[in-house]
């Protein structure tokens, strides 16, 4: 009799434990626009695997790359509504909720890539302030970021100065600050989703675009672009943002694990970019692309002066944030 009671108690205990484990397990839907071979796809994949391992499978992540869940606006709306758990994209994609957050995509505001990564740390003063507003107005928060690389101008003709782009249709990420920046380039900004970019370049809807070098390789843009102007006008930092209700549903230990892993991957992403860019110049040259630098005629000062003048005109409210960012060491 005692044995039967003990066995029944053991089975009941196991059942309760199994039920509790099932309840605590959570699957997160993670969306982004990166294609196969892009560093942002590597980031999402490695971070997700590390989170699953560190939480012993209590948190699993379903990845939806390559705009599977929609373009930028749809992705941000999805996270805000909770139909998408988390996502990553340029900070400016969140400007539809908090307009000032686009400051992190302002061109020519970071001293270098290390400064860009420090300035966009979720614990930094400016990001912390923006996060409070994101939570209140968009039911989401930034919990991490990745360094994707310096963005450079490409075209199917040589571009040495803004004069070379005057009046020409040039791809802009469908975000307001990109429209302003491309106007500063002297070009005619034409919003194009990343999934449509290769076709738009092939058909001549746009004659140029700007992106990190990894994008040229992963999307085979060297097939439809002949020249790269090494402007490095923007350090591309992608914000990782999560639905606030989803975040609060996770216990504190899991939150700490996720933020720790995302910080580790942020630092690794900086190393990836440094290692890859040097190799990509050689690889893209072999693919037939011509690189234009200050040593062979790029007027970087003209781009800097003209773009910053346009940004200052369109976004005078950025000034105090840019000043704060400049002081981050």
């Amino acid at each position: 009799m005692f044995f039967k009671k003990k066995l029944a108690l053991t089975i009941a205990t196991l059942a309760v434990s199994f039920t509790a484990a099932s309840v605590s397990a959570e699957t997160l839907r993670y969306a982004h626009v990166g294609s196969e071979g892009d560093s942002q796809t590597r980031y999402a994949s490695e971070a997700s695997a590390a989170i699953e391992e560190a939480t012993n499978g209590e948190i699993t992540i379903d990845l939806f790359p390559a705009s599977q869940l929609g373009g930028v606006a749809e992705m941000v709306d999805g996270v805000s509504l909770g139909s998408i758990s988390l996502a990553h994209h340029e900070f400016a994609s969140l400007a539809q909720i908090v307009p000032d957050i686009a400051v992190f995509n302002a061109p020519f505001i970071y001293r270098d890539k290390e400064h860009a990564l420090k300035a966009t740390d979720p614990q930094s003063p400016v990001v912390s302030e923006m996060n409070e507003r994101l939570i209140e107005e968009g039911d989401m928060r930034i919990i991490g970021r990745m360094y994707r690389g310096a963005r450079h101008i490409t075209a199917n003709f040589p571009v040495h100065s803004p004069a070379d782009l005057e009046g020409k249709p040039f791809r802009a990420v469908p975000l307001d600050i990109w429209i302003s920046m491309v106007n500063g380039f002297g070009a005619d900004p034409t919003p194009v989703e990343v999934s449509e970019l290769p076709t738009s370049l092939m058909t001549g809807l746009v004659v140029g675009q700007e992106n990190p070098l990894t994008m040229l390789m992963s999307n085979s843009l060297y097939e439809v672009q002949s020249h790269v102007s090494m402007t490095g006008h923007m350090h591309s930092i992608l914000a990782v943002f999560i639905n606030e209700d989803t975040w609060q549903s996770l216990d504190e230990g899991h939150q700490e694990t996720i933020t720790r892993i995302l910080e580790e991957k942020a630092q690794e992403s900086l190393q990836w970019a440094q290692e890859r860019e040097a190799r990509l110049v050689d690889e893209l040259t072999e693919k037939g692309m011509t690189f234009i630098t200050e040593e062979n005629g790029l007027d970087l000062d003209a781009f800097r002066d003209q773009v910053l003048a346009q940004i200052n005109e369109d976004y005078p409210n950025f000034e105090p944030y840019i000043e704060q960012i400049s002081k981050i060491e």
Side-chain angles (χ1 to χ4, degrees):
M1 180 66 72
F2 174 78
F3 176 77
K4 289 183 178 179
K5 286 183 178 179
K6 187 174 182 181
L7 179 61
L9 181 61
T10 301
I11 292 172
T13 302
L14 287 172
V16 170
S17 298
F18 180 78
T19 301
S22 298
V23 170
S24 64
E26 183 152 3
T27 298
L28 307 180
R29 287 159 54 89
Y30 185 164
H32 64 88
V33 303
S35 58
E36 186 66 31
D38 195 301
S39 58
Q40 61 177 304
T41 303
R42 176 183 180 183
Y43 174 95
S45 178
E46 292 191 10
S48 298
I51 290 168
E52 291 185 15
E53 180 179 359
T55 60
N56 297 314
E58 291 177 6
I59 295 178
T60 59
I61 299 176
D62 287 343
L63 289 171
F64 296 89
S67 305
Q68 289 180 32
L69 299 184
V72 177
E74 292 83 3
M75 193 168 64
V76 173
D77 286 342
V79 174
S80 182
L81 294 170
S83 59
I84 300 173
S85 306
L86 74 160
H88 71 239
H89 201 266
E90 303 286 354
F91 275 79
S93 64
L94 303 175
Q96 63 191 69
I97 300 168
V98 178
D100 288 342
I101 205 167
V103 69
F104 292 108
N105 283 113
F108 298 112
I109 67 165
Y110 300 117
R111 292 188 297 275
D112 51 36
K113 46 189 167 293
E114 290 81 10
H115 178 222
L117 201 63
K118 289 179 181 178
T120 51
D121 186 320
Q123 303 305 315
S124 74
V126 183
V127 179
S128 295
E129 178 185 332
M130 300 294 181
N131 246 348
E132 291 178 8
R133 294 161 62 183
L134 275 175
I135 293 167
E136 181 178 349
E137 299 170 31
D139 198 27
M140 67 172 70
R141 70 168 64 211
I142 294 167
I143 57 172
R145 79 275 190 227
M146 74 157 288
Y147 182 81
R148 190 164 168 239
R151 299 178 76 102
H152 307 287
I153 288 174
T154 74
N156 54 18
F157 52 87
V159 175
H160 295 91
S161 74
D164 296 320
L165 290 173
E166 187 172 355
K168 293 182 170 62
F170 191 96
R171 184 259 179 160
V173 176
L175 298 168
D176 288 345
I177 195 165
W178 258 267
I179 304 295
S180 178
M181 182 179 70
V182 173
N183 274 322
F185 287 166
D188 178 16
T190 306
V192 174
E193 290 283 359
V194 67
S195 58
E196 302 167 359
L197 181 54
T199 301
S200 298
L201 290 165
M202 187 181 304
T203 60
L205 176 66
V206 292
V207 298
Q209 62 90 55
E210 50 78 53
N211 253 305
L213 298 185
T214 53
M215 178 72 168
L216 307 187
M217 186 62 73
S218 64
N219 285 264
S220 302
L221 297 189
Y222 53 82
E223 295 179 352
V224 287
Q225 298 279 268
S226 59
H227 289 73
V228 183
S229 298
M230 297 291 281
T231 48
H233 52 273
M234 183 190 293
H235 288 282
S236 181
I237 308 286
L238 307 185
V240 181
F241 45 98
I242 191 168
N243 175 267
E244 179 65 9
D245 295 331
T246 298
W247 184 247
Q248 295 304 331
S249 74
L250 305 176
D251 66 44
E252 187 174 338
H254 286 161
Q255 290 179 354
E256 291 175 356
T257 296
I258 291 171
T259 52
R260 172 180 59 78
I261 288 172
L262 293 182
E263 176 59 29
E264 291 171 359
K265 289 300 170 185
Q267 298 302 324
E268 288 179 26
S269 70
L270 186 63
Q271 297 173 13
W272 300 342
Q274 291 172 324
E275 294 167 359
R276 190 84 197 276
E277 182 160 293
R279 295 200 310 268
L280 282 171
V281 170
D282 293 335
E283 291 174 16
L284 290 167
T285 298
E286 290 178 4
K287 296 287 187 182
M289 299 199 81
T290 299
F291 282 79
I292 300 172
T293 65
E294 288 185 278
E295 286 70 31
N296 61 1
L298 177 65
D299 191 347
L300 189 56
D301 287 338
F303 275 107
R304 182 182 292 108
D305 293 346
Q306 194 163 310
V307 168
L308 285 176
Q310 188 70 51
I311 295 295
N312 290 336
E313 178 182 338
D314 295 341
Y315 295 94
N317 51 307
F318 279 4
E319 184 176 354
Y321 298 119
I322 292 175
E323 184 176 351
Q324 281 184 272
I325 288 170
S326 71
K327 293 178 180 178
I328 293 174
E329 297 294 337

